[in-house]
Amino acid sequence: MRWLAVAALALAVSYSFNNSPVFLQFSVQADTLYPALLAEELRADLGAALRFTPSRTPSFLPDLLVAVTIDAVTGSWRLAFWLLGAAAFILLAGLGGGIAALITGRRLGACALTLALPMALLLLAGLGFHLWASGEQRPMEVFDAHLPVNPQTLLMLPIWHGGGFLIGLGVVALAWRSVCHNGSAWLLVGLLILSAGAAASNIITIAHAVLPAMIALADGVWRGAIRRRVAALGAAMAMALGAGLGVWLGSLSKRMDLPLTPSQGWGEAAWAAILALPGQPVILAMLLAALPLAWAFLSPRRASALLPPAAQPAALRFFIVVAAAACSAALLISMALYAGPMSWRYAMPLAWWPVILGAAFLPPRAWLWPAWLLAGGVAAAQGGSSPAIMRWQHPATACLDAADPGMQWRAGLAAYWHARTIAATGGWRRQVESTDFGDARPLLWIADPRSHVQARHGTPGTPPPYRFIYMAGIDAEAITAIHGPPERILPCGDTPIWVFPPDWQPMNWLIAMADPLVPEALAIGRQVCIAPARVSAEGLVLDLPPGAFRIALTGEARLRLSDAHSGAPLGEVAPLAEITLRRATRLRISPVDAAPLQSLVIAPARPAPIPASC
């Protein structure tokens, strides 16, 4: 019954978040739709798993595993969004309750329920705070404005570091268990695997969990609280090896590196964050809630005296040291490495460790009926219908559906913060690719780059039938200069949608603006036109996939081909050359002399390439 009550609270809280249109304007956006896009790309082509560029923190576990699985089984990213929030709630209650059980000696179910009730109250209060703080603002306005934020509510969103915090809780709990069981081989193997998964999924977990656990083990050995020194050393080595393995595995996923230094000086960044605290009441409350942690860290005997007789003071000390180190790391990362209020999304330890450890000190009362009453009350207050996320749409999706019910405009471009949301809320019926602001050049951030040149679910070589640009954040003069005037301007609230004629071909320009699109276009059999001005005296470097390619030029120029890594010569183009690459190669194209170059085309040698007018 206790676990049913925890699940009921989880569903009710997640329902509340996903039933708020105002919160959905903030929560359903390009970053959080990363699992949904990956699932859709895999439905079209399983090879996208190898091409997809994940976020800096790929969030394989548990975010992608849970969300992509639900999406693949149900075909609904909306349902995955809702259930992932509920799953995160249950995992936090279970793992946090497990830590409380290790400290107090109570039953896991009782500790999980004791934690779940204050969790639900805090999250619901956080939702109300968010609605008050953001009002009717759109996602980018919430990101840009210095508005109050609540990191606790981000637990309910995919890939926003809630999953990394959860798997980190598993690492520290398993580290303590392995020491208690005198370094059980199976527990150590599990600790190594879990540490690897945590580091591969979210490298910040090393600072939030792995290093704090090592510090806590060293503290216990030094104080004499942990007498099994060999077991403690084994646990530390398992975590270190696992973290190293995870970092290496994460690097294989093509993820971009996290910045390791602040955009401004360390002191300036920290001082700016301190000055901003008066406008961040939730952050101030979190810092105040962490003060008891500091007291328990400095006065371990007094803190242990508040626990029940069956409690383990050594376990309390271990997890308090872990929490103190993790909160300190979260403060450093949030205040120094990133600027602005949304940097506090990296402060999950500060948001939840005081709550987890505080639940261990709550008296063992009957929390079952209050939990059921809260879950039932929340469900009744929502009206009983399916949550709003099951119907919510980006404004541009509604405009396109109304103006083009026959689906003639099946592909388009939009700035990163809008493209994915337009496509997802339209049921992926329209392929909308991400661009940067300004001139709408491709932005290959958290995406399969091939989608810019290949129609999703189309035969290989079929380009997306681009017809429109959603103009939010796009420079109208730049678009007119590059692509010409639109055939039609579709009003859509404050932002128009420019519709271009059926013969609009932006493909060559998109490829010219993003070199990573060159190997993708060649891999699907499309020839690529290279602007002559790009072949400078230093040479032009392009990545090419394996295969046979024909390189042709017009003009009096001669070009030298070489491997950009090894410098090995690969031939000359005068005016035609054919090269065969057995592996993906970084090709350098250099001029032999100063003779004029009029055009340059790279195309697959076999079979006949899909032509592209240059």
Side-chain angles (χ1 to χ4, degrees):
M1 288 295 290
R2 290 190 178 99
W3 286 107
L4 284 176
V6 171
L9 282 173
L11 289 171
V13 170
S14 185
Y15 184 102
S16 299
F17 276 81
N18 289 290
N19 198 39
S20 168
V22 174
F23 187 76
L24 293 177
Q25 290 180 358
F26 165 80
S27 63
V28 181
Q29 34 91 348
D31 282 354
T32 58
L33 285 171
Y34 155 36
L37 177 65
L38 178 58
E40 176 63 15
E41 295 284 12
L42 292 176
R43 273 191 286 267
D45 177 11
L46 291 176
L50 301 177
R51 299 188 302 267
F52 201 92
T53 303
S55 67
R56 287 169 169 166
T57 53
S59 305
F60 301 123
L61 300 172
D63 302 65
L64 284 187
L65 177 64
V66 174
V68 173
T69 300
I70 295 174
D71 194 339
V73 172
T74 66
S76 172
W77 66 266
R78 300 172 185 268
L79 188 61
F81 215 95
W82 176 22
L83 295 182
L84 181 64
F89 185 101
I90 293 171
L91 283 172
L92 180 55
L95 291 168
I99 289 172
L102 291 172
I103 294 172
T104 62
R106 297 172 184 155
R107 289 177 174 270
L108 173 59
C111 291
L113 184 59
T114 302
L115 175 60
L117 194 58
M119 276 176 54
L121 292 172
L122 284 170
L123 285 168
L124 291 172
L127 175 61
F129 174 82
H130 178 91
L131 301 185
W132 167 79
S134 61
E136 295 294 333
Q137 300 187 65
R138 294 182 178 179
M140 277 306 297
E141 293 171 330
V142 172
F143 270 81
D144 291 343
H146 288 277
L147 293 171
V149 296
N150 183 354
Q152 289 178 333
T153 59
L154 304 183
L155 177 72
M156 311 304 290
L157 302 182
I159 83 160
W160 268 31
H161 306 284
F165 177 67
L166 293 173
I167 195 171
L169 288 180
V171 169
V172 299
L174 193 57
W176 177 253
R177 291 281 293 177
S178 68
V179 172
C180 292
H181 285 74
N182 201 23
S184 164
W186 288 110
L187 287 177
L188 289 177
V189 170
L191 182 58
L192 187 150
I193 294 173
L194 193 62
S195 299
S201 294
N202 190 334
I203 198 170
I204 296 176
T205 307
I206 295 176
H208 285 179
V210 175
L211 289 177
M214 290 181 177
I215 292 170
L217 289 173
D219 173 82
V221 170
W222 177 65
R223 286 174 164 268
I226 297 177
R227 297 182 180 180
R228 297 167 177 170
R229 298 188 175 187
V230 175
L233 179 61
M237 290 180 63
M239 286 188 289
L241 290 173
L245 177 62
V247 171
W248 175 71
L249 291 173
S251 68
L252 300 180
S253 68
K254 301 181 182 179
R255 62 168 172 76
M256 297 184 179
D257 294 330
L258 281 167
L260 297 179
T261 56
S263 54
Q264 50 188 328
W266 292 92
E268 292 86 347
W271 183 244
I274 292 171
L275 292 178
L277 283 177
Q280 300 293 336
V282 174
I283 305 301
L284 281 173
M286 285 165 44
L287 292 172
L288 292 174
L291 291 179
L293 274 182
W295 171 80
F297 177 79
L298 296 173
S299 306
R301 291 185 180 178
R302 292 183 180 181
S304 300
L306 301 176
L307 293 172
Q312 296 189 44
L316 175 64
R317 175 67 184 181
F318 174 83
F319 288 111
I320 283 177
V321 173
V322 167
C327 290
S328 300
L331 276 174
L332 178 65
I333 292 170
S334 298
M335 296 176 68
L337 295 188
Y338 292 87
M342 291 313 298
S343 67
W344 291 104
R345 67 185 182 272
Y346 302 99
M348 283 289 172
L350 191 63
W352 288 112
W353 265 116
V355 181
I356 292 169
L357 294 178
F361 289 92
L362 291 177
R365 294 178 179 173
W367 301 102
L368 187 60
W369 288 111
W372 281 111
L373 288 174
L374 178 60
V378 170
Q382 301 297 329
S385 62
S386 61
I389 193 172
M390 305 304 291
R391 303 172 297 278
W392 187 80
Q393 284 188 325
H394 188 284
T397 305
C399 294
L400 288 167
D401 287 345
D404 180 35
M407 289 292 298
Q408 299 300 310
W409 310 334
R410 292 181 289 113
L413 302 170
Y416 173 79
W417 291 108
H418 299 281
R420 199 164 299 166
T421 314
I422 297 170
T425 58
W428 305 108
R429 293 173 299 127
R430 290 184 174 89
Q431 183 172 338
V432 187
E433 295 303 325
S434 299
T435 73
D436 207 341
F437 297 109
D439 61 3
R441 63 185 59 201
L443 183 62
L444 310 178
W445 181 263
I446 315 181
D448 176 7
R450 187 169 295 182
S451 291
H452 276 80
V453 297
Q454 168 67 49
R456 201 174 290 131
H457 300 287
T459 57
T462 304
Y466 290 116
R467 288 294 307 276
F468 63 87
I469 301 177
Y470 182 64
M471 297 297 290
I474 305 299
D475 186 337
E477 292 185 1
I479 295 302
T480 301
I482 296 166
H483 303 290
E487 179 184 63
R488 175 183 176 185
I489 297 179
L490 177 65
C492 187
D494 297 332
T495 303
I497 300 173
W498 282 21
V499 182
F500 290 85
D503 60 353
W504 182 42
Q505 296 290 337
M507 185 72 70
N508 288 337
W509 183 82
L510 293 174
I511 295 173
M513 292 296 104
D515 284 345
L517 296 184
V518 171
E520 302 302 334
L522 293 172
I524 60 175
R526 182 182 179 85
Q527 74 176 29
V528 174
C529 306
I530 305 296
R534 298 198 62 202
V535 185
S536 62
E538 294 77 18
L540 169 66
V541 176
L542 296 172
D543 289 315
L544 266 63
F549 300 98
R550 182 178 292 113
I551 304 175
L553 61 80
T554 59
E556 300 176 5
R558 293 169 57 209
L559 301 177
R560 181 181 296 112
L561 307 177
S562 61
D563 187 316
H565 286 305
S566 66
L570 297 175
E572 286 191 3
V573 185
L576 182 69
E578 186 171 317
I579 59 174
T580 300
L581 305 175
R582 296 182 178 180
R583 55 178 175 80
T585 301
R586 180 153 289 184
L587 180 71
R588 182 182 299 276
I589 306 174
S590 309
V592 175
D593 50 38
L597 174 66
Q598 295 177 354
S599 70
L600 178 63
V601 175
I602 306 176
R606 294 174 298 274
I610 299 169
S613 58
C614 297

